[in-house]
Amino acid sequence: MTSPYDIEEIFPDDGVRLPRRQTGNSPQGLTVTLMADYTLGSRAWLPSAAIVALLAEAGVSHAGARATTSRLARRGVLEGSRQGRNSSYRLTAAAVHNLAAGGRSIAAAAVDTTTWDGWWTLVAFSLPQEDATRRRELRGLLRWLGHAPLYDGLWVSPHDLTGKLRAQLAELAPGTTTVFRARHVDLGAAVGRHPLDAWDTKAIARHYDDFIRRWSPLLPDVRAARITGAEAVRARTEVMDTYRRLPILDPRLPLDLLPPGWPREPARDLFAAVYDGLAGPAQEHVRAVAGRFTTDPPTDVRAHTVADLLAGVAGAAEPVTGPGR
């Protein structure tokens, strides 16, 4: 099973190198989440001093914040602009594309109400051991699109093959891959291995339960509007940072295959309640911080909701033309 802490698995590489998740708080991961949560729809420019101030509230040093923005610019995640002594940053178009795709995937978790048809998609591939880079890329692609390894070189999914996966397989592994659609024949626990065994469902359920235990106590304060300012931004960033890993671990496995009371939907509802419930106060705080370093009110800084992510928040507004506003 993949580590749930790798942002590159959640937001796949498509011309932009998003940062890898590190142990503890990753300044690069925090910066990407902050920029995505408040500027994804508009590609708003944020003064570098505002980014530094917001990251300082999350415990990142000023020097570390400046180094982080520079690294993200080199990776193609951010692009910068300078006016005199003042610099600003915004998400690149490539980063917006990837982050919007990841956001839709996160928001779609637990939404699918279609009935499973009982058919499995099997992807078999054979690549030389020395071609480690291509093997890693192929496995990452399959995992991102909801597949898991049943055996070495045989990956399964309860969902049909998408047109996107067809095209990417043709590009990444031409002549090395075979895809089947089939039903499972039960040979009994003593002989056969069920395709669902490709996922550790007990571990997945524990991740859901941990998420619910962590965030349920905060919900009364969210609903009563008792969380404001920097605390609202920190909590909203953390709940996204925590929840976004769950759809990678549980890529919409059919409920027909899972134990009764599967916690996917309760976790998703809790995430939406916290994330959406903190949108207003968090947006207000980010605007206030950005406003300290701009001449005009930063009205293009906007917090989106889970429904916005599902609808495709990127491109909902016209990009701003420059950082000066």
Side-chain angles (χ1 to χ4, degrees):
M1 180 178 294
T2 183
S3 164
Y5 303 105
D6 189 345
I7 195 172
E8 288 182 337
E9 295 245 0
I10 300 167
F11 303 127
D13 188 356
D14 189 13
V16 56
R17 294 175 57 227
L18 290 165
R20 287 190 176 276
R21 177 72 184 174
Q22 300 173 5
T23 302
N25 289 330
S26 160
Q28 291 188 54
L30 285 172
T31 305
V32 171
T33 302
L34 278 167
M35 296 295 290
D37 278 346
Y38 305 101
T39 72
L40 188 62
S42 63
R43 287 187 68 206
W45 293 90
L46 281 184
S48 58
I51 298 173
V52 169
L54 289 166
L55 289 176
E57 294 175 346
V60 180
S61 70
H62 286 197
R66 293 190 184 95
T68 290
T69 53
S70 296
R71 291 191 188 104
L72 289 173
R74 288 196 298 271
R75 296 174 77 108
V77 180
L78 299 179
E79 60 185 14
S81 177
R82 179 174 291 276
Q83 292 186 338
R85 299 179 60 184
N86 300 318
S87 59
S88 299
Y89 289 91
R90 71 174 178 179
L91 293 167
T92 63
V96 165
H97 173 77
N98 277 14
L99 290 164
R104 281 193 297 272
S105 178
I106 291 166
V111 171
D112 190 2
T113 58
T114 58
T115 302
W116 185 48
D117 62 6
W119 287 81
W120 293 87
T121 298
L122 292 79
V123 179
F125 61 88
S126 179
L127 289 168
Q129 288 291 338
E130 58 269 20
D131 199 352
T133 299
R134 197 150 57 116
R135 288 171 65 89
R136 184 169 57 252
E137 290 176 351
L138 179 57
R139 287 171 173 165
L141 169 65
L142 290 170
R143 199 181 299 280
W144 163 246
L145 294 173
H147 292 66
L150 185 61
Y151 300 104
D152 186 30
L154 180 64
W155 289 57
V156 297
S157 169
H159 307 296
D160 201 356
L161 193 68
T162 65
K164 180 179 180 180
L165 180 55
R166 290 173 189 266
Q168 290 176 314
L169 286 176
E171 179 180 352
L172 184 60
T176 64
T177 305
T178 302
V179 180
F180 305 88
R181 288 280 288 165
R183 289 184 178 273
H184 173 238
V185 177
D186 191 356
L187 300 177
V191 179
R193 189 180 185 212
H194 196 283
L196 187 63
D197 293 341
W199 293 269
D200 187 343
T201 54
K202 290 183 179 179
I204 295 171
R206 283 197 299 271
H207 280 288
Y208 278 128
D209 292 339
D210 289 345
F211 178 86
I212 292 169
R213 279 194 298 270
R214 164 68 180 85
W215 291 102
S216 291
L218 194 70
L219 198 52
D221 287 339
V222 171
R223 289 173 171 161
R226 290 191 289 264
I227 301 176
T228 59
E231 186 183 359
V233 176
R234 281 196 301 269
R236 195 165 186 264
T237 299
E238 187 179 346
V239 76
M240 168 61 82
D241 201 39
T242 307
Y243 180 80
R244 70 185 181 190
R245 304 176 189 118
L246 296 178
I248 295 297
L249 294 173
D250 175 14
R252 295 189 229 171
L253 296 172
L255 292 178
D256 313 52
L257 296 169
L258 297 168
W262 188 249
R264 178 195 296 149
E265 188 170 347
R268 195 262 185 189
D269 291 345
L270 176 60
F271 163 67
V274 174
Y275 188 76
D276 292 356
L278 293 175
Q283 174 184 283
E284 182 179 342
H285 182 70
V286 173
R287 285 184 175 182
V289 172
R292 301 205 301 260
F293 307 99
T294 59
T295 56
D296 298 321
T299 55
D300 50 354
V301 170
R302 292 188 290 272
H304 48 252
T305 65
V306 173
D308 293 331
L309 287 173
L310 187 59
V313 66
E318 289 296 322
V320 293
T321 57
R325 285 191 293 273

